[in-house]
């Protein structure tokens, strides 16, 4: 059982706008909201990195760039270039999508090399690295295998989904991912998390970061619950 304040809940959230038609005004709004609510990160397309990093300069809110997004169907070299470019433009965190074709081909050596390459590039610059599985395309065995690779390579997080696949996060996948990687790698749940009940359930299942475009709605609902019940914290049982 863990207890969290409202601010601690907000710090689990990656405030997200990954839409292809996002404007500078949209990015400005996203960053202003992240500052107001004290979210952990803004999750954005790689091309928006410099713009958002400048807006968030001097804060403890990270700029998170999505790499090879949303399909992951680029070479290791292309992903590495995107990663380095994002870091040079101010990214504090990198969320890259795995090559699902190579997973389907059981080319585990390729996937390990891909992960090690991106993780090394990130960690050499003190940047966090998250690995997006896109679970809706994967079998349970494939999810477990990717988590086993991550357990060896040790990115900072493994992540359920882009939010652009057929489905998003589910509790069973979060539990499987966390049970497989253990304590040295964290789990980010993303995709379809739109209310406070789902948010709390994902934390209970073992997620330690939540990617959502509904962060304001979630935190406002938790604030209302805490105000009505005269609480300063909410307890979250760990069910995994």
């Amino acid at each position: 059982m863990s207890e969290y304040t409202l601010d601690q809940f907000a710090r689990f959230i990656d405030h997200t706008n990954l839409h292809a038609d996002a404007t500078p005004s949209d990015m400005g709004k996203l960053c202003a909201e992240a500052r107001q609510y004290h979210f952990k990160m803004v999750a954005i397309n790689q091309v928006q990195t410099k713009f958002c990093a400048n807006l968030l300069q001097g804060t403890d809110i990270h700029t998170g760039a999505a790499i090879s997004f949303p399909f992951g169907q680029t070479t290791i070299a292309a992903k590495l270039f995107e990663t380095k470019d994002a870091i040079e433009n101010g990214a504090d965190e990198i969320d890259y999508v795995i090559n699902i074709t190579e997973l389907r081909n059981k080319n585990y050596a390729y996937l390990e090399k891909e992960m090690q390459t991106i993780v090394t590039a990130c960690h050499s610059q003190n940047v966090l690295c998250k690995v997006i599985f896109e679970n809706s395309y994967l079998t349970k065995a494939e999810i477990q295998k990717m988590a086993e690779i991550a357990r060896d390579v040790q990115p900072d997080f493994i992540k359920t989904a882009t939010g652009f696949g057929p489905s998003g996060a589910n509790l069973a996948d979060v539990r499987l991912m966390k049970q497989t990687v253990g304590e040295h790698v964290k789990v980010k749940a993303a995709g379809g998390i739109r209310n406070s009940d789902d948010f709390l359930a994902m934390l209970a299942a073992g997620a330690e970061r939540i990617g959502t475009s509904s962060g304001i709605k979630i935190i406002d609902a938790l604030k209302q619950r805490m105000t009505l019940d005269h609480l300063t914290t909410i307890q979250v049982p760990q069910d995994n």
Side-chain angles (χ1 to χ4, degrees), residues 36-183:
Q36 178 184 351
Y37 281 80
H38 200 212
F39 293 132
K40 181 66 178 181
M41 188 189 88
V42 292
I44 55 170
N45 280 305
Q46 194 262 16
V47 72
Q48 309 284 4
T49 302
K50 188 172 185 178
F51 184 83
C52 290
N54 285 338
L55 290 177
L56 294 170
Q57 190 172 8
T59 76
D60 60 354
I61 299 162
H62 287 182
T63 300
I67 302 299
S68 192
F69 194 87
F71 300 120
Q73 296 301 292
T74 53
T75 64
I76 295 173
K79 290 178 182 179
L80 179 60
F81 178 86
E82 271 196 81
T83 297
K84 289 182 175 179
D85 185 69
I87 293 171
E88 287 173 5
N89 280 290
D92 306 289
E93 304 193 18
I94 295 293
D95 291 37
Y96 87 88
V97 186
I98 68 165
N99 188 320
I100 296 172
T101 296
E102 295 302 337
L103 179 56
R104 193 57 42 82
N105 289 339
K106 302 185 187 304
N107 192 351
Y108 305 132
Y110 180 98
L111 292 159
E112 182 173 353
K113 180 181 179 182
E114 178 181 76
M115 193 183 299
Q116 188 66 70
T117 298
I118 306 303
V119 169
T120 298
C122 290
H123 287 179
S124 69
Q125 300 298 319
N126 296 314
V127 168
L128 298 181
C129 183
K130 308 193 200 80
V131 183
I132 307 174
F133 290 7
E134 198 68 291
N135 288 345
S136 57
Y137 293 120
L138 309 184
T139 66
K140 299 300 182 187
E142 288 169 336
I143 294 169
Q144 185 169 4
K145 183 61 182 179
M146 280 306 307
E148 289 170 354
I149 293 171
R151 184 178 60 202
D152 294 336
V153 175
Q154 295 196 6
D156 298 283
F157 288 84
I158 55 176
K159 178 178 169 183
T160 57
T162 63
F164 287 80
S167 62
N170 68 68
L171 295 173
D173 286 353
V174 170
R175 293 185 188 105
L176 174 61
M177 293 164 76
K178 187 57 188 174
Q179 288 165 2
T180 304
V181 293
E183 295 304 312

Side-chain angles (χ1 to χ4, degrees), residues 205-220:
E208 295 182 67
R209 194 78 72 85
I210 305 294
T212 178
S213 58
S214 300
I216 291 173
K217 176 183 174 182
I218 289 167
I219 294 301
D220 283 349

